Amino acid sequence: MGRWVQGLRDGIGFDTMLVLFALLYLFFFAGLPLIYNIVISFQSVDVFSLGSLVHPVVGIDNYTAIFADPLAQRVLINTLIFTIGSVTIQFTFGFALALFFHQRFPGATWIRGLFLAAWVMPGLVVGVLWNWLLSGDFGVINHVLESVGLIDEPVFWRSDVDTSLYSVLIANIWYGTPFNMILLAVGLAAIPDDLYEAAELDGATAFQRFWTITLPMMRPTIGAVLALGTIFTLQQFDLFAAITQGGPAGSSTVAQYWSWELSFREFDFGRGAVISVLMIVVVLFVSLIYVRSTKAETQL
C-alpha cells in the first residue's frame, strides 16, 4: 500500500487512476441508469412500486402496448418531421453562415460570437422566449407578419393542431443553427488556402471550388455535424415543455416528450422506459453509421 501511495506521489500510475475514476463515473451515472431503464421496460412499474427492488415481469407486453397505442403512429410521424426538418435546415443554415463568416471582413468574429450567444442559452429559456414570440394574442411574429400584409388575422401557432409542431421546429432551428455553424467553421478553417489559390489559377469558378475542394475536404466534419445534430435533436425536451407541452391533442408530441408523459404524468414507468430504449437504439444506429463512415474515410 505504501509503495502504491509513493508511486502516486512520484506521478507513477496517476494516469491510470484518472482513467479508473472516469470509468467508475460513467458506470454509476450512465451505465447503471441505462441498465435499469432496459430492465424496467420489461416490467410493470408504477408510482407505488417504483421504490421496490422487485417488480412484476411482463415480458414484451410494454413494447406491444406502445406499438398498439393509437398515439404511436402520430408520435412517430411527428418525431420524423421534427428530427429530419431540424437536422436538415440547421445544417443548411449553419453551413451557409460558416461559409459567410469564413470570409475576411471587419467584425466577422464579433458577429459570429453573437450567433453563439443563442446556443449557450438554456433550452428552457429559449423555449420561454419563443413562447412569447409565437403568442397568438401579442406575439412579435404575428405583429410583423400583419404589418407586411402576409396575414390578415393572428395565427395561434402554439395551439393550432396544424402549426404546433412547426412552432417548436422553428424554435429548435434557431437554437441549433449556431452549433452547426461553429463546427463547420472549424472544418473550413482546416482546409489549406493553397488548394483554393491553385484552383483559382486554373480557372475554377466559386461553385467548382466548393464542389471539388470544400465538400470532399469537409466530409468527416459534415458526418460529425449530422450525427451530433440528430442525437441532440432526439434529446430535445425543453422546447416542447415550454412551448406546446405536446399539444393540442398530441399534435406536437414527439417520442422523447411522450416518454416523459407516460412516466411522470401517467406514472407508467415501464412503457415510458420502452420509448427510451427504442430511442437509445436509434442513437446507437446513427453513431454506428458515423463511426463506420469516418473509419472508411481514414482508410482511403
Side-chain angles (χ1 to χ4, degrees):
M1 182 66 180
R3 185 179 300 176
W4 184 76
V5 173
Q6 184 62 38
L8 287 179
R9 290 175 179 174
D10 297 336
I12 301 173
F14 185 70
D15 52 350
T16 303
M17 185 182 68
L18 290 178
V19 172
L20 178 61
F21 279 129
L23 291 175
L24 288 174
Y25 176 86
L26 289 175
F27 176 73
F28 283 105
F29 293 98
L32 284 181
L34 175 61
I35 295 171
Y36 180 72
N37 189 78
I38 295 174
V39 170
I40 66 173
S41 70
F42 296 98
Q43 299 176 335
S44 177
V45 185
D46 54 29
V47 68
F48 300 104
S49 62
L50 182 62
S52 175
L53 295 177
V54 180
H55 307 104
V57 177
V58 296
I60 62 171
D61 288 354
N62 287 332
Y63 288 83
T64 56
I66 285 295
F67 288 109
D69 195 300
L71 189 58
Q73 183 177 359
R74 184 63 180 267
V75 169
L76 177 61
I77 294 174
N78 288 346
T79 305
L80 289 174
I81 293 174
F82 181 73
T83 304
I84 295 174
S86 294
V87 173
T88 303
I89 301 176
Q90 283 177 0
F91 174 80
T92 303
F93 287 173
F95 209 165
L97 288 171
L99 290 170
F100 176 74
F101 287 113
H102 190 61
Q103 310 301 316
R104 295 182 177 87
F105 60 89
T109 303
W110 292 97
I111 299 174
R112 185 167 55 190
L114 291 176
F115 276 93
L116 288 178
W119 179 62
V120 300
M121 294 172 62
L124 193 60
V125 174
V126 174
V128 172
L129 172 65
W130 277 93
N131 193 27
W132 171 67
L133 291 173
L134 294 166
S135 173
D137 297 320
F138 50 83
V140 175
I141 292 179
N142 274 341
H143 176 72
V144 172
L145 293 178
E146 286 180 326
S147 299
V148 298
L150 292 179
I151 59 175
D152 298 325
E153 56 184 16
V155 178
F156 292 88
W157 305 94
R158 299 177 291 116
S159 57
D160 191 324
V161 294
D162 295 324
T163 59
S164 59
L165 178 64
Y166 299 101
S167 65
V168 187
L169 176 62
I170 292 171
N172 193 54
I173 291 170
W174 181 88
Y175 189 29
T177 295
F179 175 75
N180 285 254
M181 179 193 70
I182 194 64
L183 290 185
L184 292 167
V186 172
L188 287 173
I191 301 176
D193 292 334
D194 296 343
L195 296 177
Y196 292 108
E197 294 173 359
E200 190 173 1
L201 289 174
D202 290 338
T205 64
F207 178 77
Q208 289 173 333
R209 294 195 298 271
F210 174 78
W211 187 260
T212 58
I213 298 176
T214 305
L215 282 182
M217 296 290 290
M218 288 280 292
R219 195 171 298 170
T221 304
I222 291 174
V225 170
L226 292 176
L228 290 174
T230 302
I231 294 171
F232 290 159
T233 301
L234 289 174
Q235 294 176 340
Q236 182 54 255
F237 172 84
D238 295 343
L239 296 182
F240 288 95
I243 298 176
T244 64
Q245 295 83 46
S251 60
S252 64
T253 301
V254 292
Q256 57 269 34
Y257 195 82
W258 193 26
S259 176
W260 177 84
E261 281 189 322
L262 289 173
S263 298
F264 299 103
R265 283 188 175 174
E266 300 181 19
F267 301 109
D268 191 340
F269 296 98
R271 288 201 299 158
V274 168
I275 301 176
S276 298
V277 170
L278 295 176
M279 293 186 68
I280 290 171
V281 172
V282 173
V283 169
L284 290 176
F285 180 72
V286 172
S287 302
L288 179 62
I289 293 177
Y290 166 64
V291 171
R292 289 179 65 88
S293 63
T294 303
K295 184 178 180 181
E297 287 289 332
T298 57
Q299 292 176 348
L300 292 177

